Amino acid sequence: MQFFIDTADVEEIRKAHALGLVDGVTTNPSLIKKAGRDHEQTIREISTFVEGPISVETLSETAEGMLEEAKTYVTWGQNIVIKVVMTPEGMKAVRALSSQGIKTNVTLIFTPMQALVAAKAGATYVSPFVGRLDDIGQSGMGIISDIRQIFDTYQLSTEILVASVRNPVHMLDAALIGADVATVPPATLVQLFKHPLTDSGIQTFLKDAQAWNRKQPA
Ligand code: E4P
């Protein structure tokens, strides 16, 4: 499973990149707002050190508008993926971009049928939002399993990009189901390293090594 990082905070992306855990980056208008910097400048800076795909979201409500935005966004870096919302206009744009060889990521997916529609339009990625489904008492991971089954049955090459990840269990479930990608917020990425037995084990080893060192001949 590929790990994308779900943030527009360049310093956080650099930290995760240094750990070798950035196969790509996803951004959205809310993440850009949170980062508090110019959109273009931010994406251009990320593109200087991230080799993998960087999703940049369109804001227009018409296919024509989305295609215009896409023309600009693809000039911001080597591996820009055009993120498009799951609407009929969005799917028109995805079809056109796909025929031009431009990669797309269909966002705000909440049902397996939306994912199938996006795949049929030629989407490179579909982004089902598991956390937001869990928030309203529906099974986020349930739709990941269903989409996996549908895409496998029909041998669709569209990749399942698990989004709206909130905790390490989402990452575990995504990996067990066989999602292609999970996009992880920086705080959740850090949690993946942690276990209390790892921490206490390190402390014990260090303490024992100190005792052992004291016994060495001078
Ligand atoms: C990424 O592509 C999505 O926009 C993001 O994961 C949404 O996460 P949220 O539901 O925590 O806002």
Side-chain angles (χ1 to χ4, degrees), residues 5-165:
I5 187 111
D6 196 24
T7 182
D9 182 325
V10 177
E11 287 320 305
E12 292 290 356
I13 299 170
R14 284 190 192 281
K15 279 192 230 164
H17 188 260
L19 296 171
L21 288 175
V22 176
D23 298 316
V25 177
T26 50
T27 66
N28 66 31
S30 308
L31 292 171
I32 296 286
K33 179 184 167 204
K34 191 171 164 198
R37 289 183 48 195
D38 177 72
H39 191 197
E40 176 176 351
Q41 208 181 46
T42 303
I43 301 297
R44 282 189 183 276
E45 188 175 343
I46 297 168
S47 304
T48 61
F49 64 95
V50 170
E51 304 79 14
I54 301 166
S55 285
V56 181
E57 189 160 334
T58 54
L59 300 171
S60 305
E61 292 181 64
T62 62
E64 291 72 21
M66 291 171 193
L67 294 174
E68 274 307 305
E69 282 182 74
K71 265 191 216 159
T72 304
Y73 296 158
V74 293
T75 66
W76 291 357
Q78 294 287 334
N79 209 347
I80 301 296
V81 173
I82 304 300
K83 211 173 180 190
V84 170
V85 289
M86 178 62 226
T87 59
E89 285 298 303
M91 294 315 95
K92 280 191 217 164
V94 166
R95 196 171 292 281
L97 291 167
S98 162
S99 72
Q100 294 167 33
I102 296 173
K103 288 185 181 172
T104 55
N105 174 358
V106 177
T107 190
L108 292 169
I109 296 273
F110 294 97
T111 72
M113 289 316 296
Q114 288 178 320
L116 180 54
V117 166
K120 286 175 75 67
T124 314
Y125 302 98
V126 287
S127 286
F129 278 33
V130 294
R132 292 193 196 185
L133 278 170
D134 289 353
D135 290 346
I136 61 161
Q138 294 184 11
S139 167
M141 279 301 156
I143 76 157
I144 303 301
S145 303
D146 290 348
I147 297 168
R148 180 74 283 157
Q149 190 182 337
I150 293 166
F151 284 10
D152 288 350
T153 300
Y154 294 104
Q155 297 179 348
L156 297 170
S157 59
T158 300
E159 296 194 26
I160 303 173
L161 193 171
V162 177
S164 190
V165 163

